[in-house]
Coordinates of all heavy atoms in Angstrom, one line a residue:
Chain A
Y125 N -60.1 -43.3 54.7 CA -59.5 -42.0 55.1 C -58.0 -42.1 55.2 O -57.3 -41.1 54.8 CB -60.0 -41.5 56.5 CG -61.5 -41.2 56.5 CD1 -62.2 -41.0 57.7 CD2 -62.2 -41.0 55.3 CE1 -63.5 -40.7 57.7 CE2 -63.5 -40.6 55.3 CZ -64.2 -40.5 56.5 OH -65.5 -40.2 56.5
L126 N -57.5 -43.2 55.6 CA -56.1 -43.3 55.8 C -55.4 -43.7 54.4 O -54.2 -43.4 54.3 CB -55.7 -44.5 56.8 CG -56.1 -44.1 58.2 CD1 -56.0 -45.3 59.1 CD2 -55.2 -43.0 58.8
H133 N -58.5 -35.4 50.7 CA -58.8 -34.8 52.0 C -59.1 -33.3 51.8 O -60.0 -32.8 52.4 CB -57.7 -35.1 53.0 CG -57.8 -36.4 53.6 ND1 -58.6 -36.6 54.8 CD2 -57.3 -37.6 53.3 CE1 -58.5 -37.9 55.1 NE2 -57.8 -38.5 54.2
L142 N -66.3 -36.6 59.1 CA -66.7 -37.1 60.5 C -68.1 -37.5 60.5 O -68.4 -38.5 61.1 CB -66.5 -35.9 61.5 CG -65.9 -36.3 62.8 CD1 -64.6 -37.1 62.7 CD2 -65.6 -35.0 63.6
F445 N -49.3 -31.0 64.3 CA -50.4 -31.9 64.7 C -50.0 -32.8 65.8 O -48.9 -33.5 65.7 CB -50.9 -32.7 63.5 CG -52.0 -33.6 63.9 CD1 -53.3 -33.2 64.1 CD2 -51.8 -35.0 64.2 CE1 -54.3 -34.0 64.5 CE2 -52.8 -35.8 64.6 CZ -54.1 -35.4 64.7
M446 N -50.7 -32.8 66.9 CA -50.4 -33.7 68.0 C -51.5 -34.7 68.1 O -52.7 -34.4 68.0 CB -50.4 -32.9 69.4 CG -49.3 -31.8 69.5 SD -47.7 -32.6 69.8 CE -46.8 -32.0 68.4
F447 N -51.0 -36.0 68.4 CA -52.0 -37.0 68.6 C -52.4 -37.0 70.1 O -51.7 -36.5 70.9 CB -51.4 -38.4 68.3 CG -51.0 -38.6 66.9 CD1 -49.8 -38.3 66.4 CD2 -52.0 -39.2 66.0 CE1 -49.5 -38.5 65.0 CE2 -51.7 -39.4 64.7 CZ -50.5 -39.0 64.2
D448 N -53.7 -37.4 70.3 CA -54.2 -37.5 71.7 C -53.5 -38.6 72.4 O -54.0 -39.7 72.5 CB -55.7 -37.7 71.6 CG -56.3 -37.4 72.9 OD1 -55.6 -37.0 73.9 OD2 -57.6 -37.5 73.0
D449 N -52.3 -38.4 72.9 CA -51.4 -39.5 73.3 C -50.4 -38.9 74.3 O -50.4 -37.6 74.5 CB -50.7 -40.1 72.1 CG -50.2 -41.5 72.4 OD1 -50.1 -41.9 73.6 OD2 -49.8 -42.2 71.4
N454 N -46.2 -39.3 71.2 CA -46.2 -38.3 70.1 C -44.8 -38.2 69.5 O -44.7 -37.7 68.4 CB -46.6 -36.9 70.7 CG -48.1 -36.7 70.4 OD1 -48.5 -36.6 69.3 ND2 -48.9 -36.6 71.5
I490 N -51.0 -35.3 76.2 CA -51.2 -34.0 75.7 C -52.4 -34.1 74.8 O -52.5 -35.0 73.9 CB -50.0 -33.4 75.0 CG1 -49.3 -34.4 74.0 CG2 -49.0 -33.0 76.0 CD1 -48.1 -33.9 73.4
G491 N -53.4 -33.2 75.1 CA -54.8 -33.4 74.6 C -55.0 -33.2 73.1 O -54.1 -33.2 72.3
E492 N -56.3 -33.0 72.8 CA -56.8 -32.8 71.4 C -56.0 -31.7 70.7 O -55.9 -30.6 71.2 CB -58.2 -32.4 71.5 CG -58.8 -32.1 70.1 CD -60.1 -31.3 70.2 OE1 -60.0 -30.2 70.9 OE2 -61.1 -31.7 69.7
R493 N -55.4 -32.1 69.6 CA -54.5 -31.2 68.8 C -53.5 -30.6 69.7 O -53.1 -29.4 69.6 CB -55.4 -30.1 68.2 CG -56.3 -30.7 67.2 CD -56.8 -29.6 66.3 NE -58.0 -29.9 65.6 CZ -58.7 -29.2 64.8 NH1 -58.2 -28.0 64.5 NH2 -59.8 -29.6 64.2
G494 N -53.0 -31.3 70.7 CA -52.0 -30.7 71.6 C -52.5 -29.6 72.4 O -51.7 -28.7 72.7
Chain B
R152 N -63.0 -29.9 75.3 CA -62.8 -30.0 73.9 C -63.9 -29.3 73.1 O -65.0 -29.3 73.5 CB -62.8 -31.5 73.5 CG -61.5 -32.2 73.9 CD -61.4 -33.5 73.2 NE -62.2 -34.5 73.7 CZ -62.1 -35.8 73.4 NH1 -61.2 -36.2 72.5 NH2 -62.9 -36.7 73.9
D234 N -64.9 -40.4 72.4 CA -63.6 -40.9 72.1 C -63.4 -41.4 70.7 O -62.4 -41.1 70.0 CB -63.3 -42.1 73.0 CG -63.3 -41.8 74.5 OD1 -63.2 -40.5 74.8 OD2 -63.3 -42.7 75.4
M235 N -64.5 -42.0 70.2 CA -64.4 -42.6 68.9 C -64.3 -41.4 67.8 O -63.4 -41.5 66.9 CB -65.7 -43.4 68.6 CG -65.7 -44.1 67.2 SD -67.1 -45.1 67.0 CE -68.4 -43.9 66.8
L236 N -65.1 -40.4 68.0 CA -65.0 -39.3 67.1 C -63.6 -38.6 67.2 O -63.1 -38.2 66.1 CB -66.1 -38.2 67.4 CG -67.5 -38.7 67.0 CD1 -68.5 -37.6 67.4 CD2 -67.6 -38.9 65.5
G237 N -63.1 -38.6 68.4 CA -61.7 -38.0 68.5 C -60.7 -38.8 67.7 O -59.9 -38.3 67.0
A238 N -60.8 -40.2 67.9 CA -59.8 -41.0 67.2 C -60.0 -40.9 65.7 O -59.0 -40.8 64.9 CB -60.0 -42.5 67.7
I239 N -61.3 -40.9 65.2 CA -61.5 -40.8 63.8 C -61.0 -39.5 63.2 O -60.4 -39.4 62.2 CB -63.0 -41.1 63.5 CG1 -63.4 -42.5 63.8 CG2 -63.3 -40.8 62.0 CD1 -64.9 -42.8 63.6
S240 N -61.2 -38.4 64.0 CA -60.9 -37.1 63.5 C -59.3 -37.0 63.4 O -58.9 -36.2 62.6 CB -61.4 -36.0 64.4 OG -60.6 -35.9 65.6
E241 N -58.6 -37.8 64.1 CA -57.1 -37.8 63.9 C -56.8 -38.2 62.5 O -55.9 -37.7 61.9 CB -56.4 -38.7 64.9 CG -56.3 -38.1 66.3 CD -55.4 -38.9 67.2 OE1 -55.0 -40.0 66.9 OE2 -55.1 -38.4 68.3
S242 N -57.5 -39.2 62.0 CA -57.2 -39.7 60.7 C -57.6 -38.6 59.6 O -57.1 -38.7 58.5 CB -58.0 -41.0 60.4 OG -59.4 -40.7 60.2
I243 N -58.4 -37.7 60.0 CA -58.8 -36.6 59.0 C -58.0 -35.4 59.2 O -57.3 -34.9 58.3 CB -60.3 -36.3 59.2 CG1 -61.2 -37.5 59.0 CG2 -60.7 -35.2 58.3 CD1 -62.6 -37.4 59.5
V244 N -57.9 -34.9 60.5 CA -57.2 -33.6 60.7 C -55.7 -33.9 60.6 O -54.9 -33.0 60.2 CB -57.5 -33.1 62.1 CG1 -56.9 -31.7 62.3 CG2 -59.0 -32.9 62.2
G245 N -55.2 -35.1 61.0 CA -53.8 -35.3 61.0 C -53.3 -36.0 59.7 O -52.3 -36.6 59.7
A246 N -54.2 -35.9 58.7 CA -53.8 -36.6 57.4 C -52.4 -36.4 57.0 O -51.7 -37.4 56.6 CB -54.8 -36.2 56.3
T247 N -52.0 -35.2 57.0 CA -50.6 -34.9 56.5 C -49.5 -35.5 57.4 O -48.7 -36.2 56.8 CB -50.4 -33.3 56.5 OG1 -51.4 -32.7 55.9 CG2 -49.0 -33.0 55.9
T248 N -49.7 -35.4 58.7 CA -48.7 -35.9 59.6 C -48.6 -37.5 59.4 O -47.6 -38.1 59.4 CB -49.0 -35.5 61.0 OG1 -49.1 -34.1 61.1 CG2 -47.9 -36.0 62.0
I249 N -49.8 -38.1 59.4 CA -49.9 -39.5 59.3 C -49.2 -40.0 58.0 O -48.4 -41.0 58.1 CB -51.4 -40.0 59.3 CG1 -51.9 -39.8 60.7 CG2 -51.5 -41.4 58.9 CD1 -53.4 -39.9 60.8
R250 N -49.4 -39.3 56.9 CA -48.7 -39.7 55.7 C -47.2 -39.5 55.7 O -46.4 -40.3 55.3 CB -49.4 -39.1 54.5 CG -50.6 -39.8 54.1 CD -51.6 -38.9 53.3 NE -52.8 -39.5 53.0 CZ -53.8 -39.7 54.0 NH1 -53.5 -39.3 55.2 NH2 -54.9 -40.4 53.7
R257 N -50.7 -47.8 62.6 CA -50.9 -47.5 64.0 C -52.1 -46.7 64.2 O -52.9 -47.0 65.2 CB -49.7 -46.7 64.5 CG -49.8 -46.4 65.9 CD -48.8 -45.4 66.4 NE -48.9 -45.2 67.8 CZ -49.0 -44.0 68.3 NH1 -49.1 -42.9 67.6 NH2 -49.1 -43.9 69.6
T258 N -52.4 -45.7 63.4 CA -53.6 -44.9 63.5 C -54.8 -45.8 63.4 O -55.8 -45.7 64.2 CB -53.6 -43.8 62.5 OG1 -52.4 -43.1 62.5 CG2 -54.7 -42.8 62.8
A259 N -54.8 -46.7 62.4 CA -55.9 -47.6 62.2 C -56.2 -48.4 63.5 O -57.3 -48.6 63.9 CB -55.6 -48.5 61.0
R261 N -55.5 -47.6 66.6 CA -56.1 -46.8 67.6 C -57.5 -46.5 67.4 O -58.4 -46.5 68.3 CB -55.3 -45.4 67.7 CG -54.0 -45.5 68.4 CD -53.1 -44.3 68.0 NE -53.6 -43.1 68.4 CZ -53.4 -42.5 69.5 NH1 -52.6 -43.0 70.4 NH2 -53.9 -41.3 69.8
I262 N -57.9 -46.3 66.1 CA -59.3 -46.1 65.7 C -60.1 -47.4 66.0 O -61.2 -47.3 66.6 CB -59.4 -45.7 64.2 CG1 -58.8 -44.4 64.0 CG2 -60.9 -45.8 63.8 CD1 -58.7 -44.0 62.5

Side-chain angles (χ1 to χ4, degrees):
Chain A
Y125 291 166
L126 291 170
H133 275 273
L142 217 53
F445 177 80
M446 292 286 120
F447 292 90
D448 195 0
D449 201 344
N454 265 295
I490 45 185
E492 178 198 51
R493 297 197 199 178
Chain B
R152 286 199 280 191
D234 294 348
M235 183 175 76
L236 287 178
I239 293 176
S240 77
E241 282 191 350
S242 73
I243 300 166
V244 186
T247 308
T248 308
I249 288 166
R250 278 158 187 73
R257 181 194 181 232
T258 313
R261 284 160 61 92
I262 292 172

